[in-house]
Amino acid sequence: MGQPSWMNMGTTWTASSPPSSKAGDTVGVVRREDGTLHFFVNGMTQGPAAWNVPPGVYAVVDLYGQAAQATIVDDVEVTPVPEPLPEGNNQVSPSSPSSGAGGSDLRFHQLHGSNAVITNGGRTALRHNCRSEFNDAIVISNRALRDGELFEIVIQKMVDRWSGSIEAGVTAIRPEDLEFPNTMTDIDYDTWMLSGTAIMQDGNTMRNNYGCDLDALGTGARIGMMRTSKGDLHYFINGQDQGAACSGLPPGKEVYAVVDLYGQCVQVSITNATGPMDNSLATSNTATEKSFPLHSPVAGVAHRFHSICGKNVTLEEDGTRAVRAAGYAHGLVFSTKELKTEEVFEVKVEELDEKWAGSLRIGLTTLAPGEMGPGAGGGPGVPPSLPELRTKTTWMVSSCEVRRDGLLQRMNYGRNLERLGVGSRVGIRRGADDSMHILVDGEDMGPAATGIAKNVWAVLDLYGPVRSVSIVSSTRLEEPEGTQPPSPSSDTGSEGDEDDEDEEHGLGGEDHVSIMPTALEFLENHGKNILLSNGNRTATRVASYNQGIVVISQPLAPQLLVQVRIDFLNRQWTSSLVLGVITCPPERLNFPASACALKRAAWLLRGHGVFHNGLKICEKFGPNLDTCPEGTVLGLRLDSSGGLHLHVNGRDQGVAVPDVPQPCHALVDLYGQCEQVTIVSPEPGAASLKSTGTQGDMEKADMVDGIKESVCWGPPSAASPLKSCEYHALCSRFQELLLLPEDYFMPQPKRSLCYCESCRKMRGDEAHRRRGEPPREYALPFGWCRFNLRVNPHLEAGTLTKKWHMAYHGSNVAAIRRVLDRGELGAGTASILSCRPLKGEPRGGFEEPGENCAPPREEQPPPVLLSPSLQYAGAETLASKVQFRDPKFQRTHQAQVAFQVCVRPGSYTPGPPSAILREPPDPHFSPAELEWVTKEKGATLLYALLVRVE
């Protein structure tokens, strides 16, 4: 702005504004004690305009020409005007003297954001054009803060035009090296800021709901910041310490105070309180509106209950004791701070009210207490009981049950909390492996739940008989130096290892696959419903069913496998996670509600399909990702030619997308059922990802169809019981309707195995295998579900696993029980075990003997029809269909049953099919050997019951 022209008109002094003035500019006038008259434009002094101006003058404004309206914006006493600067310098040096300066030499630095103005000898900072500009007004201290030194400012002016307000913090970047961004939270290194209630480090939110809210402060409020000698950053509001906002500021490294005059905040000044503090007074013992103080006057107690609590709760003894004053519910209490890794939050039961039933409930929640309502005595968002706390993810133990968001996850855990008495101690701990542990009287009950988020608060429900508790935990752990990586999954091994040394199921000539050697993590830029934990290696969708996109921060390098494990599924939704890659930089990408809405540079695997920029380019690729159970490990890999491979539980499913541009980043969309995933890496020396046979290292007695019996398709029992694929669940419900004795079947986890398309592709099952001496090929029962039968203990184990051949026999539900009672296919099963004449129509039973035919001898059982292919043995003419109503969904289905049997070599005669089929027989087998017929008694051994449902 150019220098205005001045003129003296008798006893009137005026200044005409230059033509460049515009709406929003501020113009001020000050008469100094020495009689000089100073004019200000947008807070910047224009130097002395006149001298010897007498006292008792009035300010006057002439709305002339283009100026049609003016508003008084500051009628308070003006701070002293700085001494004149050398000509040509329009910014005040931070070392300029000021008559109002305190004892500290801290000032605002002469370097600042483009919209900031420094005045008053470096003690005042303002944002000019405050009604048309809301940012680019960062100011920084002129020197680094000393340990224990307070830098305090007072808000002098605000506008109501914008949302958001002042942001304050410290940075280790020297002012000379700082390229001032639009806002300080855009800085991605060596910077710690408080924005609203969020503590942010390097632009990323470290924690929410700190003890104060900068957006709620008004004119006259004082904000201070101080780094302690231990490297903690403390904030002070109106002189009261709000506790440690964060720890771990680099020791010995200089940090500068930084203030962002953002949004509503227009002007601040450094107060006289700025300077060294008496550290014994640095912490206030007065509770703030949002929480109790971090440091307590009660010796030896580190924890406090948050002032947000159930409406029937009264907090006593400075927040260390909680009492339910009435009723049996509305007794929720929370920890004041987030629970750190391996930190124990423990309480002692003090009073019981025996007229109520139930138990104390204890758990962890990702919901910050401050989000539920202000003030003690129950905010509007505090539910009456812990199972109803479902706004965000909550894990809890009640009695001896473990629940997640109110849904039962596990029964018979630890000691029953209903048996607690007066004096009993109950604690909770979040382990370094993201597990939740409950401690009763100091004894760890073991992991109650896994996949716990990093930012969690302890929560207790004073429910039923437990009327009051007191905090007894006395160890306040320091923040760990680093986050331990998650333990590799041990339950996701390949299920398709073969038991025949002559058969290979690898991809010949396939590129060597390596495991990503560096620690991977998810990018901080993600969908708005995502919460990252475990060193950003675990992603949890904490609300709704979408807005759950996460991207792995490191680019996907050729021949390096990136894997994630499905930790938790929510069955109330349909569909599930989406996996893929994007080739655009993800750091600044504004993610849509779901990955399918990405219309640029995106290749995705969803369900059975492959999509490019929202359009389906391939159908029926690999397994159906919507049916992946918990514990499934999914991986992506780029081969040397740029082809994108999908791996499921270590098995390569082939090229999903050829020629993917590079660099690219792996993307996961936690959509629908999928609510949590974790980046995993196999242990050193784990099974090779080349799908070659490794049966030589396994005990033959542990192998079933070349599949290790201890590996059952379905989630680990400790994770989430009875959550398998929907087809497996449907077949299991039909099998239960048959009312067969449980003693006939193998116990869990060896009871069943699903061969639906998704399950068998996830295991990498080959369609055919070889077995017996001499080896003979048979087909796996694709499309069926297998229920393993107990082996006769009097039989040699090697009979089943090595010497005998494998075959199938079609049956019907009417005779299953008779077959199981007998233990083999043979006499007494005439209604199902039919051998068709080579020339004639197939029938449902044996031929009735002619009148001139003698009955068969007892020792000569009727022939039994078998086949190495279930496509033939399971045809409708050989395995009749039956209708049934699903008891769960009340839908009508058709079902078939068959038996998988072991056949003694040499006891049967191969031949062509005798049954008339609606579809061609299995082309893999020679038609001359598709049907096996045996007449020998004891030639077959029952191995499994097979079920197929349509």
Side-chain angles (χ1 to χ4, degrees):
M1 181 172 289
Q3 181 72 22
S5 58
W6 314 102
M7 58 182 175
N8 191 333
M9 301 173 60
T11 56
T12 301
W13 293 263
T14 66
S16 59
S17 298
S20 59
S21 297
K22 59 182 182 296
D25 286 347
T26 60
V27 180
V29 61
V30 171
R31 177 193 176 277
R32 294 189 61 187
E33 292 181 358
D34 60 0
T36 57
L37 187 69
H38 291 254
F39 287 92
F40 291 78
V41 179
N42 292 325
M44 297 179 61
T45 181
Q46 306 300 307
W51 292 262
N52 301 318
V53 177
V57 294
Y58 296 85
V60 61
V61 177
D62 186 2
L63 298 178
Y64 180 81
Q66 296 180 357
Q69 180 177 316
T71 300
I72 298 174
V73 295
D74 193 359
D75 58 356
V76 299
E77 183 178 353
V78 179
T79 52
V81 179
E83 295 296 325
L85 295 173
E87 187 175 355
N89 189 354
N90 63 352
Q91 288 187 338
V92 179
S93 168
S95 60
S96 301
S98 171
S99 60
S104 173
D105 62 340
L106 279 171
R107 301 288 189 274
F108 290 119
H109 201 280
Q110 60 182 349
L111 299 175
H112 48 72
S114 59
N115 286 335
V117 176
I118 306 299
T119 67
N120 188 23
R123 295 178 62 88
T124 299
L126 59 91
R127 186 181 79 242
H128 68 79
N129 298 334
C130 58
R131 293 194 172 271
S132 58
E133 301 288 346
F134 63 88
N135 58 5
D136 285 313
I138 297 169
V139 292
I140 190 169
S141 62
N142 63 324
R143 64 164 175 82
L145 300 181
R146 304 182 182 99
D147 288 346
E149 185 177 30
L150 179 69
F151 184 91
E152 188 184 61
I153 57 175
V154 59
I155 299 176
Q156 293 180 317
K157 181 179 177 182
M158 301 185 71
V159 293
D160 57 2
R161 180 176 176 84
W162 313 104
S163 61
S165 190
I166 188 172
E167 297 174 347
V170 296
T171 181
I173 308 172
R174 298 175 65 248
E176 295 80 5
D177 300 330
L178 179 61
E179 296 181 5
F180 290 88
N182 294 332
T183 63
M184 201 61 193
T185 52
D186 289 342
I187 297 291
D188 59 2
Y189 68 103
D190 292 345
T191 301
W192 298 261
M193 298 292 294
L194 173 59
S195 175
T197 64
I199 303 297
M200 305 183 70
Q201 179 180 349
D202 304 337
N204 301 315
T205 300
M206 298 173 58
R207 58 180 292 191
N208 286 303
N209 296 288
Y210 180 59
C212 63
D213 184 358
L214 296 190
D215 291 342
L217 300 180
T219 302
R222 305 194 317 275
I223 306 167
M225 59 211 81
M226 180 185 67
R227 182 178 73 169
T228 68
S229 58
K230 294 197 298 184
D232 296 336
L233 176 62
H234 285 245
Y235 285 91
F236 294 77
I237 302 298
N238 296 325
Q240 290 190 355
D241 187 358
Q242 304 300 301
C246 56
S247 58
L249 272 66
K253 195 170 186 177
E254 294 183 337
V255 293
Y256 296 77
V258 60
V259 177
D260 192 347
L261 302 175
Y262 181 83
Q264 296 181 0
C265 183
V266 174
Q267 180 175 314
V268 298
S269 286
I270 300 173
T271 71
N272 291 332
T274 295
M277 289 190 63
D278 180 355
N279 286 336
S280 65
L281 302 177
T283 302
S284 170
N285 290 327
T286 304
T288 67
E289 179 184 3
K290 288 183 174 281
S291 64
F292 286 97
L294 179 67
H295 304 289
S296 168
V298 181
V301 177
H303 298 114
R304 289 290 182 277
F305 289 123
H306 201 285
S307 58
I308 299 297
C309 55
K311 69 178 184 180
N312 286 340
V313 171
T314 301
L315 300 181
E316 301 175 353
E317 299 179 12
D318 199 18
T320 63
R321 185 170 187 263
V323 180
R324 192 186 71 237
Y328 62 89
H330 292 283
L332 261 61
V333 287
F334 302 84
S335 61
T336 302
K337 303 293 182 182
E338 298 172 7
L339 210 58
K340 298 178 182 178
T341 301
E342 298 297 340
E343 185 178 14
V344 176
F345 187 96
E346 190 176 35
V347 299
K348 181 177 69 174
V349 177
E350 291 199 334
E351 293 181 74
L352 294 177
D353 189 346
E354 300 293 349
K355 69 180 178 182
W356 305 113
S359 78
L360 176 79
R361 296 158 175 169
I362 186 170
L364 298 172
T365 181
T366 58
L367 179 62
E371 297 180 11
M372 290 185 291
V382 180
S385 65
L386 188 52
E388 299 174 69
L389 184 63
R390 302 175 186 176
T391 308
K392 288 190 177 180
T393 307
T394 301
W395 299 263
M396 60 164 281
V397 174
S398 174
S399 298
C400 55
E401 298 177 346
V402 181
R403 294 179 178 270
R404 184 181 192 270
D405 296 337
L407 301 177
L408 180 64
Q409 303 293 304
R410 182 177 176 184
M411 299 181 66
N412 299 317
Y413 168 77
R415 287 171 55 181
N416 193 330
L417 299 186
E418 292 182 4
R419 300 173 182 172
L420 296 177
V422 175
S424 296
R425 292 180 293 115
V426 183
I428 190 164
R429 173 173 65 88
R430 181 195 176 279
D433 58 351
D434 301 332
S435 60
M436 180 179 77
H437 291 243
I438 302 299
L439 296 85
V440 179
D441 292 328
E443 181 183 356
D444 194 330
M445 299 290 104
T450 57
I452 306 299
K454 182 178 181 180
N455 304 104
V456 290
W457 284 259
V459 56
L460 287 87
D461 188 358
L462 305 183
Y463 184 83
V466 178
R467 184 172 180 270
S468 70
V469 296
S470 290
I471 296 176
V472 294
S473 47
S474 58
T475 301
R476 185 169 174 271
L477 302 179
E478 297 296 329
E479 190 72 30
E481 294 182 0
T483 304
Q484 296 293 328
S487 57
S489 172
S490 60
D491 53 17
T492 57
S494 171
E495 299 186 42
D497 296 327
E498 300 305 322
D499 65 338
D500 192 272
E501 299 171 1
D502 299 329
E503 189 176 10
E504 294 185 1
H505 299 292
L507 299 174
E510 187 65 36
D511 299 297
H512 178 69
V513 180
S514 302
I515 305 301
M516 181 69 79
T518 57
L520 298 176
E521 61 182 28
F522 290 117
L523 196 67
E524 286 287 351
N525 185 31
H526 48 67
K528 69 178 184 179
N529 287 336
I530 287 294
L531 174 68
L532 297 182
S533 60
N534 185 28
N536 288 358
R537 294 173 63 87
T538 296
T540 306
R541 193 186 74 235
V542 295
S544 189
Y545 62 90
N546 57 6
Q547 299 283 0
I549 297 177
V550 288
V551 176
I552 292 179
S553 58
Q554 294 88 340
L556 193 60
Q559 303 306 337
L560 292 176
L561 180 63
V562 173
Q563 299 183 110
V564 297
R565 181 186 65 236
I566 300 176
D567 294 331
F568 183 76
L569 298 175
N570 186 342
R571 297 292 178 176
Q572 79 176 84
W573 308 112
T574 59
S575 300
S576 191
L577 90 168
V578 177
L579 201 64
V581 294
I582 55 174
T583 58
C584 55
E587 291 80 5
R588 296 289 181 179
L589 191 61
N590 185 18
F591 291 114
S594 68
C596 293
L598 292 169
K599 304 300 182 184
R600 180 169 64 93
W603 288 262
L604 304 174
L605 304 174
R606 175 190 177 195
H608 272 305
V610 181
F611 294 77
H612 175 46
N613 296 341
L615 300 176
K616 183 180 286 188
I617 59 176
C618 176
E619 292 187 1
K620 296 185 178 180
F621 171 80
N624 186 350
L625 299 186
D626 290 342
T627 62
C628 295
E630 293 173 5
T632 303
V633 176
L634 302 172
L636 292 175
R637 176 177 64 90
L638 287 177
D639 60 29
S640 56
S641 62
L644 181 67
H645 291 244
L646 172 67
H647 291 248
V648 180
N649 291 331
R651 291 281 177 169
D652 191 347
Q653 306 296 314
V655 177
V657 181
D659 303 321
V660 175
Q662 299 182 45
C664 62
H665 290 257
L667 174 147
V668 183
D669 186 1
L670 279 66
Y671 184 82
Q673 294 184 7
C674 183
E675 288 196 345
Q676 182 172 298
V677 298
T678 297
I679 299 173
V680 296
S681 297
E683 294 178 354
S688 170
L689 293 173
K690 282 185 169 183
S691 302
T692 55
T694 58
Q695 73 284 357
D697 299 328
M698 300 179 183
E699 292 292 336
K700 289 290 183 180
D702 293 335
M703 302 295 294
V704 177
D705 274 6
I707 300 171
K708 208 168 185 182
E709 283 190 315
S710 60
V711 180
C712 176
W713 178 238
S717 58
S720 182
L722 303 179
K723 287 188 179 179
S724 183
C725 79
E726 289 300 323
Y727 183 73
H728 177 272
L730 178 59
C731 291
S732 297
R733 292 194 293 271
F734 172 75
Q735 187 265 343
E736 291 173 0
L737 292 176
L738 299 178
L739 302 178
L740 300 173
E742 286 296 313
D743 290 341
Y744 282 130
F745 297 94
M746 296 287 288
Q748 297 288 3
K750 303 177 182 179
R751 179 185 177 88
S752 60
L753 195 67
C754 182
Y755 285 93
C756 71
E757 184 177 10
S758 294
C759 292
R760 57 100 171 173
K761 283 185 176 180
M762 288 180 186
R763 291 192 302 267
D765 292 341
E766 298 292 335
H768 301 88
R769 300 214 175 114
R770 301 170 66 85
R771 176 177 293 247
E773 294 181 357
R776 189 140 199 172
E777 201 168 27
Y778 71 100
L780 289 189
F782 285 176
W784 295 66
C785 189
R786 189 180 74 192
F787 297 90
N788 297 322
L789 299 171
R790 293 181 184 269
V791 179
N792 189 329
H794 299 293
L795 297 176
E796 181 187 356
T799 301
L800 294 179
T801 61
K802 187 174 181 180
K803 298 179 180 179
W804 286 31
H805 296 149
M806 190 68 72
Y808 303 98
H809 177 82
S811 183
N812 64 44
V813 298
I816 292 177
R817 178 63 186 270
R818 292 197 299 272
V819 174
L820 295 176
D821 289 343
R822 185 170 181 82
E824 64 172 319
L825 303 179
T829 57
S831 63
I832 59 170
L833 305 178
S834 57
C835 179
R836 311 301 183 200
L838 296 182
K839 296 179 182 180
E841 297 293 326
R843 299 184 177 92
F846 283 108
E847 294 287 339
E848 292 292 333
E851 72 178 0
N852 296 324
C853 295
R857 292 177 297 178
E858 250 180 46
E859 63 273 11
Q860 183 65 36
V864 176
L865 181 149
L866 305 166
S867 176
S869 169
L870 196 52
Q871 186 175 332
Y872 174 67
E876 187 174 355
T877 52
L878 300 178
S880 59
K881 295 182 178 180
V882 62
Q883 280 194 349
F884 78 100
R885 183 177 293 276
D886 180 10
K888 182 175 181 180
F889 298 106
Q890 298 300 312
R891 298 172 184 166
T892 301
H893 300 272
Q894 289 187 324
Q896 293 176 278
V897 292
F899 284 100
Q900 186 172 1
V901 297
C902 295
V903 190
R904 187 174 68 246
S907 65
Y908 59 88
T909 302
S914 62
I916 299 177
L917 304 176
R918 297 179 181 177
E919 299 179 358
D922 193 336
H924 184 81
F925 296 94
S926 168
E929 297 184 345
L930 186 62
E931 184 176 284
W932 301 350
V933 178
T934 180
K935 298 181 180 180
E936 295 186 17
K937 186 175 182 180
T940 60
L941 296 173
L942 298 180
Y943 179 65
L945 174 67
L946 299 167
V947 173
R948 178 167 67 181
V949 177
E950 297 177 356

